Amino acid sequence: MNKAKKNNAIEKTETGIEGFDLISEGGLPKGRTTLIAGTSGSAKTVFAVQFLSEGIIKKDEPGVFVTFEEPPEDIRKNVISLGWDVAKWEQEGKWAFVDASPSIGEDHVIAGEYDLGALLARIEYAVKRIGATRISMDSLGSSFARFSEAGLVRNELFKIAVAVKQMGVTAIITAERTEEYGDIARFGIEEFVADNVIILRNVLESEKRRRTMEILKFRGTSHQKGEYPFTVIKNVGIVAIPLSGIELKQRSSTVRISSGNAELDKMCGGGFFRDSIILVSGATGCGKTMLSAAFAAEATKNQQRALLLAFEESREQLFRNASGWGIDFEKMENDGILKVVCRYPEAEGLEDHLIIMKSIIRDFKPHRVIVDSLSALERVSTVKGFREFVIALTSFIKHQEVAGLFTSTTGELMGGTSVTEAHISTITDTIILLRYVEMFGEMRRGITALKMRGSMHDKDIREFNIDGKGMHIGKSFSNVTGILSGHPVFAAPEEIDRVRDLFKEA
Amino acid sequence: MNKFRLRLYITGKTPKSERAIANLKEICKKELEGLYELQIIDVLESPQLAEDEKILATPALIKDLPPPLRRIIGDLSNSEKVLLGLDLSPVTSGNQRKDRGR
């Protein structure tokens, strides 16, 4: 980002950690030391390992890992599930451990003055031996427990921090915190590396864990401010979700695609736009899934691919229901037109869902993405987390230039809106409302296009019914008012004529 | 008495290193005359040896033989502690050494 402007300023080293480089506006300050502080379980070690791993994988930059806590064997074992083969890199001379971890039975007697000069010599040796440009030290604080002379250890560690700075390598030092919101680190380690501080948090919020990272300061260079959610996933490691890094630069297409229902297309002024976000809102059982299925099935006609992410129903249920509307999902899947992914909302945290959804979209490259339903995902997250999720997902889908259709369940049977809508309505381009209308002791269904960005659309609330061939949209409820508020009232035809004439010019 | 095998790790020729060497030689002369082998390793010259032995603090004295292995850290100016660490404490007898101070 604006590299030209910063020619004389501090350069940054791309970490390769997804999302982090956006938040940090280019990575960690090059040749400097950054403190990563966090409570236990906040993924400090993962960050430290990933910093070196990504350097090796993406940029062929060797790295030294100084471990004060876990022995190297444990680290090798622990990170293999994240896709990092440390042992292999060690053989290739790209990774070197400096093992400063305590080993069992290693007792010592102290008999006189000492210093930690040997540790520094070992670090310098390892850096020189493999030509390292990155170094991670995890975690500095734990060395305090090993020696009784805290003052001396502090001094020595400070010396090491200074020496590392002089080596010209980009370094990470991790340190323990005791509280999520309190002192930066234990033992005052932050004073060693006052230049750059990143805080990793693992906050418990309404019984759900939420990981966030915050760049507290980057001396002499810019970064995004505030906390950003992140997650740790298999074979990838840390993935941060940079919300403010998302730019509204999606191209808008005027190409229309069919909703899978000719009448609905007509209502929307000729179909949905190709790269728009469509929200379908309605009470339970009023036809949202059916509308989604029709939208997916439409892909067949245009040699497109559709991705259906289902969070409410199982595969079997979904396939059976679809066949009830005359749609053969199984054949579509075999033809490679459709991919159905069913997951329990509770199976993962929302951040993980987002990452998984993104990677499926990247791999399958669909033209249409359907999420049924977005509101089911709402229950596994906090309000804040959900809002961030929706923003991140919609912007990602828009960037891929595909159409996204989300369904949202309203709480009330008639009328009403859902929280989902409140979060997403400004992001969506099209909102379709499906509503029950009670008429003479009968539940009928109504549909309306509430919003259709950039296009004329039908303002009527029309009746529709569902049969073995799908949805059929009929005439408008022209003599009923109050459908959306949930209190349908019949108006006499004369009254309607009167209202219509009210705005006519005389 | 079994032969003692000792290794002393130092980092450079600092006054602390010199003191450790002198102190150790004196103790050995007094207590282990003719019964010890001493190897002095400068970490700056052989960092890999320090890595293998996971040496953090120097000067560090390691007693390989007779077992058990013992580590003593510091310039060895406290000769009482050194003797304790080498299991040569004049006060305690063989069986009571387990509860020695750190």
Side-chain angles (χ1 to χ4, degrees):
Chain A
M1 269 177 200
N2 27 358
K3 262 184 191 135
K5 239 196 268 173
K6 287 189 205 136
N7 257 344
N8 299 320
I10 294 150
E11 265 185 76
K12 281 182 181 163
T13 293
E14 278 179 31
T15 57
I17 297 173
E18 207 184 313
F20 176 77
D21 289 337
L22 264 172
I23 298 169
S24 57
E25 297 182 356
L28 293 175
K30 198 172 184 173
R32 294 195 163 194
T33 304
T34 303
L35 178 74
I36 312 280
T39 51
S40 95
S42 62
K44 296 186 297 295
T45 306
V46 177
F47 195 106
V49 174
Q50 190 168 1
F51 173 59
L52 299 191
S53 301
E54 302 286 2
I56 294 168
I57 298 168
K58 296 190 179 149
K59 303 174 96 185
D60 202 28
E61 293 181 3
V64 168
F65 196 95
V66 187
T67 173
F68 289 93
E69 220 168 77
E70 292 173 89
E73 310 87 76
D74 286 9
I75 293 174
R76 285 186 204 113
K77 243 183 261 168
N78 294 344
V79 303
I80 206 108
S81 65
L82 296 169
W84 306 322
D85 191 349
V86 173
K88 190 184 118 216
W89 294 330
E90 279 178 283
Q91 279 168 11
E92 294 170 354
K94 288 177 183 164
W95 180 295
F97 272 113
V98 172
D99 183 4
S101 66
S103 45
I104 303 160
E106 179 225 282
D107 237 356
H108 57 244
V109 176
I110 292 185
E113 282 177 42
Y114 62 93
D115 56 47
L116 300 183
L119 175 62
L120 181 55
R122 285 165 61 191
I123 295 171
E124 281 173 340
Y125 165 68
V127 167
K128 231 175 268 163
R129 186 166 65 87
I130 64 166
T133 51
R134 298 181 179 211
I135 180 167
S136 285
M137 301 167 82
D138 179 58
S139 84
L140 222 47
S142 51
S143 47
F144 280 89
R146 313 262 305 275
F147 301 96
S148 40
E149 293 80 0
L152 180 133
V153 173
R154 251 185 84 80
N155 250 333
E156 289 298 312
L157 291 178
F158 183 67
K159 257 196 247 169
I160 290 173
V162 171
V164 165
K165 228 183 247 179
Q166 285 164 352
M167 285 180 219
V169 293
T170 309
I172 278 181
I173 290 180
T174 69
E176 284 266 324
R177 308 180 76 203
T178 44
E179 298 162 48
E180 293 296 358
Y181 296 90
D183 290 344
I184 293 176
R186 277 169 83 187
F187 308 111
I189 288 172
E190 70 269 19
E191 289 162 27
F192 298 178
V193 273
D195 290 348
N196 313 303
V197 179
I198 295 170
I199 292 180
L200 303 182
R201 293 192 175 91
N202 189 16
V203 188
L204 190 63
E205 210 176 295
S206 15
E207 297 185 5
K208 280 154 203 147
R209 283 277 170 199
R210 200 175 113 87
R211 291 183 187 278
T212 61
M213 61 169 73
E214 178 190 7
I215 299 175
L216 198 66
K217 59 173 167 179
F218 265 6
R219 193 166 280 176
T221 176
S222 61
H223 61 86
Q224 302 279 318
K225 286 155 196 74
E227 289 183 39
Y228 292 86
F230 77 93
T231 180
V232 180
I233 53 175
K234 226 175 127 187
N235 287 324
V236 181
I238 289 176
V239 178
I241 300 158
L243 288 173
S244 61
I246 295 166
E247 290 168 66
L248 277 170
K249 61 174 181 194
Q250 305 94 353
R251 271 174 286 161
S252 282
S253 165
T254 50
V255 178
R256 303 256 190 175
I257 58 168
S258 172
S259 65
N261 184 305
E263 290 125 320
L264 181 59
D265 286 349
K266 226 182 281 163
M267 285 178 74
C268 294
F272 302 142
F273 286 116
R274 193 187 62 197
D275 46 7
S276 61
I277 301 287
I278 304 123
L279 181 71
V280 177
S281 147
T284 174
C286 71
K288 295 186 302 296
T289 306
M290 194 230 37
L291 203 70
S292 321
F295 182 68
E298 186 61 23
T300 329
K301 290 185 196 155
N302 309 313
Q303 283 160 339
Q304 291 181 328
R305 280 181 303 277
L307 174 67
L308 175 55
L309 301 159
F311 295 97
E312 285 186 345
E313 291 167 287
S314 72
R315 269 183 92 79
E316 286 69 29
Q317 268 179 311
L318 211 67
F319 280 43
R320 186 199 60 205
N321 295 348
S323 66
W325 304 312
I327 298 165
D328 191 349
F329 272 176
E330 202 159 345
K331 185 177 177 296
M332 285 174 71
E333 260 203 328
N334 291 337
D335 293 348
I337 293 163
L338 177 74
K339 190 181 176 81
V340 178
V341 180
C342 296
R343 298 191 86 94
Y344 265 111
E346 282 82 3
E348 266 99 16
L350 210 47
E351 288 85 4
D352 292 47
H353 275 303
L354 177 65
I355 310 293
I356 294 165
M357 286 156 97
K358 274 183 171 182
S359 81
I360 297 172
I361 291 170
R362 256 188 229 123
D363 293 344
F364 187 61
K365 296 190 181 60
H367 302 87
R368 294 158 180 245
V369 176
I370 299 129
V371 180
D372 185 38
S373 71
L374 209 53
S375 30
L377 287 168
E378 205 178 305
R379 66 172 189 252
V380 299
S381 171
T382 57
V383 172
K384 201 158 94 194
F386 184 69
R387 194 177 55 221
E388 285 166 354
F389 165 80
V390 169
I391 293 170
L393 179 67
T394 47
S395 76
F396 177 76
I397 288 179
K398 284 200 156 197
H399 268 268
Q400 307 298 309
E401 297 182 352
V402 298
L405 186 139
F406 304 152
T407 68
S408 152
T409 309
T410 49
E412 291 153 55
L413 209 53
M414 292 170 64
T417 53
S418 68
V419 186
T420 314
E421 283 161 52
H423 287 322
I424 144 163
S425 55
T426 53
I427 308 164
T428 53
D429 303 295
T430 303
I431 299 178
I432 308 286
L433 297 183
L434 305 178
R435 290 289 184 266
Y436 283 113
V437 185
E438 188 191 340
M439 273 174 87
F440 307 113
E442 199 184 0
M443 273 301 200
R444 305 235 202 139
R445 294 182 175 105
I447 182 169
T448 185
L450 188 68
K451 169 180 173 184
M452 182 73 202
R453 205 172 257 170
S455 166
M456 291 295 289
H457 63 93
D458 194 341
K459 272 94 180 167
D460 290 350
I461 302 174
R462 291 175 180 273
E463 185 177 6
F464 74 93
N465 49 56
I466 299 169
D467 65 13
K469 283 182 183 160
M471 174 194 247
H472 301 283
I473 298 174
K475 290 211 177 95
S476 66
F477 290 95
S478 54
N479 55 348
V480 185
T481 61
I483 293 172
L484 294 185
S485 59
H487 304 285
V489 175
F490 300 96
E494 311 87 71
E495 178 65 10
I496 293 165
D497 289 338
R498 197 184 67 81
V499 172
R500 195 172 292 140
D501 292 340
L502 208 62
F503 301 104
K504 259 193 194 150
E505 280 170 52
Chain B
M1 201 179 201
N2 291 323
K3 200 157 183 164
F4 275 69
R5 197 158 83 205
L6 306 172
R7 281 179 289 159
L8 181 67
Y9 286 84
I10 53 167
T11 305
K13 303 273 184 287
T14 62
K16 221 178 281 167
S17 306
E18 302 295 342
R19 271 204 309 279
I21 296 169
N23 287 335
L24 180 61
K25 284 192 168 159
E26 201 189 309
I27 291 165
C28 288
K29 204 174 161 191
K30 246 195 247 169
E31 307 280 336
L32 298 164
E33 184 68 67
L35 283 171
Y36 73 97
E37 257 172 54
L38 174 63
Q39 190 188 1
I40 295 171
I41 297 154
D42 188 340
V43 174
L44 293 184
E45 285 164 19
S46 344
Q48 190 57 50
L49 291 178
E51 186 62 51
D52 296 343
E53 214 43 75
K54 294 175 58 175
I55 305 284
L56 293 187
T58 46
L61 178 64
I62 296 180
K63 181 196 73 161
D64 290 311
L65 284 173
L69 189 118
R70 296 265 189 240
R71 284 168 176 251
I72 302 160
I73 286 167
D75 64 5
L76 311 177
S77 53
N78 187 337
S79 53
E80 213 171 291
K81 283 267 182 73
V82 178
L83 292 177
L84 207 70
L86 290 175
D87 302 306
L88 280 171
S89 172
V91 225
T92 49
S93 68
N95 293 334
Q96 291 165 323
R97 274 174 207 150
K98 278 176 203 151
D99 56 4
R100 81 210 150 83
R102 290 181 61 179

